[in-house]
Amino acid sequence: MNKKSQDQFKKFLEFGKHMSQNKDQFQSVAQNMLSTQQLLLIKQKATIKQEIEQQRDYVNSISHNLKQTVADQISLANKCSTEVEKLKKIYLEDLIVSKPLQNCVIYVKTFCKPSKMNAVNLGIEDEKNNHIHISLYNQEKSNSDLKYLDQKYPINLRLAIKNPYLKMNAIGHVFLRNDNPENIIFLDSDLQQESKILKEFNSLKQKGNELFNQKQYKQALEFYLNALQYASSNEERVIANSNISQTLICQNKYQKAIFYTDKALELDQTHQKSLFRKASSLMGLYDFEKALQVFELLKQNQECQKHIEECKYKLDKQRNGFNKDEIAEIILNKQDKKLVNYVGNIEVRRTEKMGRGVFATKNIRKNEVIAVCEFVQAIKNKDELIVEFQTDVNVNFNTQYFIREQLIMEMQDNFYLRKVLSYLYRGEINEEYQIPNLKEIFIKKYYQEGIDDKIELTAEDISNITNYNTFGSQNTTQLIMLASFFNHKKDKDIELVGVEDKVVIFSKRDIQKDEEIFTSYVDYSEKNQEEAAKALQKWGITKEN
């Protein structure tokens, strides 16, 4: 990109940032002036292609780290799980700005190479040769390189876009926006093309196995789902459903995994792999009691006995908790045991001043383990805890922003996460403030189908929840669910210690039954009184106590 083009592109970005401050007013005026068809004709195909090429050049020419995306509430809520065959076929000219067309689908193909800034940007055209720019958010990792994107989004790639959503940005550019990856169906991807060729069940299953062994779980899942369509016997259906459940377990999607293990067990109630995978999923949901019942249905051998002992241990710790010495042994790796969510003699009650707080239900001794709880559940995989980052300040707003974006992505099909988030403080206290059952939420990780999956949280809700419930230490920013229910006091009653992916809460003094338990939102050892007071303003605390 020459210097003139680069300067123009920078001005374009600066102008967009300036206009975004008056976005609502600008959009309403522009939408009243132009019809959708007129909007689509504003830019020609060549112009769209040129702009996306300029984006590619610009990203390559500078040192960048564009991880942050701006969530769009309408687009996030616009999720479609219906099969494309059952949707109404429309065209780009049928779209209405800022109004998703429900139960509709548009078939398009790409006409230029993709770019990647805070979204994957493509130039697309429909079957009537209408053309537009589409931005796919949450579709790829922030560090995806252009070589990978070129392979995945080649020119003439055919896509089906479910519930298409037309949006106008602050400077009057109209484009398609999608925040839900499952709304985009790849009709010509390598994966789909191979699926068309490999029609037989065994071939599809074998390809899925290869991808699974390469830890490409999402791709493997697609092949296993295709294999299920070609299964011609109950035996093949059992194998396909069981394999599907295993890919979901590897993605920590335990509730969905149980759905498919149950499908397999309906056909063969003694299928060993399905029984084991159901028990493993129940353990992932911390429902150790049910998991133990399933494990005992398996053929007993040394490996099975090992899992049964582990399950019994976790069930015991879930009910009776840990003592300080056990925690110390685990920290020093002297015990080959893992921490388990545990809530002791505490509960949330209403308070006059702060709406709600945590109280002791029995007398608590000094140094007693009150609770063990995970950090926020936005985890990409078992090895990567995304809420913990090296930072220079106590609460780093960049990592806090990243936590928010990951929560928005993760909660789309993690109903347990959505349920827990719905209880957290959003900046307002009212009489109907929810009083959660801590043991139900943090120990027996489950959700009620048909009830909890209807919980709706907007991008603004998640932003507020993240802002008010993240805690900082010397080198981390963390969203710790249970800790957010404790109110602030300068002389705190508890100590929080991070161990692996969990936080252990100890009592610092003897606490009497029905006494409220406090934590401290700032570390007074690192701050003077003035700095501490300023930090507390984030939580609306104007006077230290």
Side-chain angles (χ1 to χ4, degrees):
M1 180 188 292
N2 57 42
K3 188 176 186 304
K4 182 179 179 181
S5 297
Q6 188 169 335
D7 290 342
Q8 288 177 340
F9 191 72
K10 288 181 178 178
K11 288 179 181 179
F12 169 83
L13 294 176
E14 291 170 0
F15 182 59
K17 182 178 179 181
H18 171 74
M19 290 301 295
S20 64
Q21 297 174 0
N22 302 300
K23 180 173 64 175
D24 294 338
Q25 180 182 357
F26 183 84
Q27 284 191 350
S28 63
V29 173
Q31 290 170 32
N32 289 333
M33 291 170 55
L34 301 170
S35 69
T36 302
Q37 282 187 304
Q38 288 174 314
L39 286 168
L40 289 172
L41 292 172
I42 288 176
K43 290 191 176 182
Q44 300 299 317
K45 179 176 178 179
T47 307
I48 296 172
K49 182 177 179 180
Q50 182 181 8
E51 283 189 353
I52 292 178
E53 287 175 350
Q54 286 180 337
Q55 289 179 8
R56 289 170 65 94
D57 292 342
Y58 176 71
V59 169
N60 281 333
S61 67
I62 62 172
S63 175
H64 66 290
N65 187 20
L66 298 168
K67 289 185 177 181
Q68 299 178 354
T69 65
V70 180
D72 185 280
Q73 295 181 30
I74 296 176
S75 184
L76 280 171
N78 180 35
K79 189 175 181 181
C80 181
S81 301
T82 308
E83 297 176 357
V84 291
E85 294 80 7
K86 298 178 181 179
L87 300 175
K88 178 183 177 182
K89 181 179 177 180
I90 61 172
Y91 301 92
L92 289 172
E93 62 191 32
D94 299 319
L95 298 178
I96 302 171
V97 176
S98 296
K99 182 180 179 181
L101 292 189
Q102 302 292 329
N103 299 316
C104 294
V105 62
I106 290 179
Y107 294 94
V108 299
K109 67 176 181 179
T110 61
F111 58 77
C112 63
K113 290 184 177 181
S115 70
K116 175 73 168 69
M117 296 182 72
N118 54 2
V120 176
N121 300 299
L122 303 167
I124 57 172
E125 60 184 350
D126 64 13
E127 295 174 1
K128 289 188 177 182
N129 294 320
N130 296 315
H131 37 265
I132 200 169
H133 161 218
I134 186 170
S135 292
L136 306 179
Y137 286 81
N138 306 324
Q139 190 78 27
E140 303 295 341
K141 294 181 178 179
S142 59
N143 60 353
S144 299
D145 59 31
L146 289 176
K147 183 177 180 181
Y148 164 78
L149 294 174
D150 287 345
Q151 293 175 346
K152 185 168 181 179
Y153 303 90
I155 296 174
N156 293 322
L157 168 67
R158 292 192 307 122
L159 301 170
I161 305 168
K162 299 191 290 185
N163 284 14
Y165 168 49
L166 193 64
K167 181 178 175 63
M168 181 183 290
N169 66 16
I171 59 173
H173 290 183
V174 63
F175 65 104
L176 276 170
R177 170 159 183 151
N178 184 75
D179 285 61
N180 297 300
E182 68 179 67
N183 283 7
I184 303 297
I185 306 300
F186 289 73
L187 302 177
D188 276 341
S189 67
D190 291 339
L191 196 63
Q192 293 287 344
Q193 286 182 357
E194 289 187 56
S195 297
K196 294 174 184 176
I197 298 170
L198 303 175
K199 295 293 185 183
E200 296 179 2
F201 172 82
N202 287 334
S203 298
L204 288 165
K205 185 190 73 170
Q206 181 60 35
K207 182 61 179 178
N209 291 344
E210 292 173 5
L211 290 165
F212 182 88
N213 292 334
Q214 296 168 15
K215 297 185 178 181
Q216 298 182 39
Y217 302 123
K218 290 183 178 179
Q219 295 89 331
L221 176 61
E222 289 192 42
F223 272 97
Y224 289 145
L225 286 168
N226 283 333
L228 182 59
Q229 300 300 315
Y230 292 103
S232 57
S233 67
N234 282 348
E235 181 182 1
E236 291 177 346
R237 294 186 186 95
V238 168
I239 292 171
N241 279 301
S242 189
N243 287 350
I244 290 167
S245 70
Q246 185 59 46
T247 62
L248 292 168
I249 290 171
C250 292
Q251 298 175 68
N252 298 328
K253 297 179 179 180
Y254 302 114
Q255 197 72 45
K256 283 188 175 181
I258 290 174
F259 173 83
Y260 284 100
T261 57
D262 284 346
K263 287 278 189 182
L265 292 169
E266 285 175 9
L267 300 170
D268 181 359
Q269 60 184 1
T270 63
H271 189 249
Q272 296 295 289
K273 285 187 177 180
S274 295
L275 286 168
F276 179 81
R277 287 163 182 171
K278 180 173 183 176
S280 299
S281 298
L282 287 165
M283 286 190 70
L285 292 173
Y286 278 36
D287 198 340
F288 301 119
E289 189 171 357
K290 287 184 181 178
L292 187 59
Q293 293 172 4
V294 179
F295 273 129
E296 290 175 345
L297 296 175
L298 289 163
K299 294 178 180 177
Q300 299 302 301
N301 54 39
Q302 186 175 357
E303 184 67 21
C304 182
Q305 192 59 38
K306 178 181 175 181
H307 289 289
I308 288 175
E309 292 302 319
E310 179 187 0
C311 193
K312 287 180 177 179
Y313 167 82
K314 290 185 174 181
L315 179 59
D316 173 65
K317 292 306 171 186
Q318 184 184 77
R319 290 171 173 170
N320 303 312
F322 300 82
N323 59 48
K324 191 172 182 180
D325 292 337
E326 287 177 311
I327 298 293
E329 291 291 305
I330 292 171
I331 292 174
L332 295 173
N333 295 318
K334 291 184 178 180
Q335 278 192 19
D336 186 23
K337 302 290 185 183
K338 296 290 183 180
L339 288 175
V340 178
N341 278 9
Y342 161 72
V343 176
N345 300 317
I346 57 174
E347 67 180 12
V348 176
R349 298 178 188 171
R350 296 195 182 280
T351 64
E352 291 184 8
K353 194 173 182 180
M354 296 300 293
R356 62 184 179 181
V358 179
F359 290 78
T361 58
K362 294 182 180 180
N363 291 344
I364 295 174
R365 301 182 308 278
K366 182 179 179 180
N367 292 328
E368 184 176 331
V369 178
I370 295 176
V372 177
C373 182
E374 292 158 305
F375 295 131
V376 64
Q377 291 296 292
I379 299 176
K380 289 183 179 180
N381 56 55
K382 294 179 181 179
D383 301 319
E384 184 178 5
L385 183 66
I386 66 164
V387 299
E388 195 167 21
F389 297 92
Q390 297 296 316
T391 66
D392 297 323
V393 295
N394 273 3
V395 175
N396 183 289
F397 291 108
N398 290 327
T399 56
Q400 188 181 90
Y401 194 100
F402 187 52
I403 290 172
R404 190 196 82 168
E405 295 303 314
Q406 292 298 325
L407 284 176
I408 289 171
M409 291 176 61
E410 178 75 9
M411 74 174 187
Q412 296 304 311
D413 56 4
N414 187 333
F415 302 116
Y416 167 70
L417 174 63
R418 197 183 307 176
K419 179 177 181 178
V420 174
L421 287 172
S422 71
Y423 285 115
L424 295 182
Y425 177 62
R426 307 181 202 181
E428 295 181 0
I429 297 175
N430 54 62
E431 292 181 358
E432 297 180 355
Y433 214 71
Q434 295 187 76
I435 303 299
N437 182 326
L438 296 180
K439 291 184 182 293
E440 176 185 296
I441 293 178
F442 294 105
I443 293 183
K444 194 175 182 182
K445 294 173 58 173
Y446 78 100
Y447 78 98
Q448 295 171 285
E449 190 172 358
I451 299 177
D452 296 332
D453 52 9
K454 292 181 180 178
I455 294 172
E456 294 185 0
L457 292 170
T458 66
E460 183 180 2
D461 289 333
I462 298 300
S463 180
N464 289 336
I465 289 168
T466 306
N467 181 51
Y468 286 109
N469 295 278
T470 47
F471 289 82
S473 61
Q474 287 185 337
N475 60 358
T476 64
T477 300
Q478 303 157 344
L479 176 54
I480 307 173
M481 296 288 196
L482 192 147
S484 296
F485 292 101
F486 291 88
N487 287 322
H488 167 81
K489 192 175 182 181
K490 181 177 179 180
D491 298 322
K492 57 186 177 180
D493 303 321
I494 57 174
E495 192 71 46
L496 277 63
V497 178
V499 182
E500 299 173 344
D501 64 337
K502 293 180 175 59
V503 60
V504 180
I505 303 176
F506 295 94
S507 58
K508 292 189 67 178
R509 64 175 180 84
D510 290 336
I511 301 170
Q512 302 301 310
K513 179 183 178 182
D514 296 324
E515 186 179 352
E516 184 172 2
I517 306 170
F518 293 92
T519 187
S520 178
Y521 295 166
V522 296
D523 188 347
Y524 287 90
S525 65
E526 297 179 2
K527 296 177 180 289
N528 59 38
Q529 298 297 311
E530 185 177 341
E531 289 175 334
K534 186 177 180 181
L536 289 171
Q537 290 178 5
K538 169 186 173 182
W539 291 280
I541 299 171
T542 56
K543 184 178 180 180
E544 298 173 32
N545 53 19

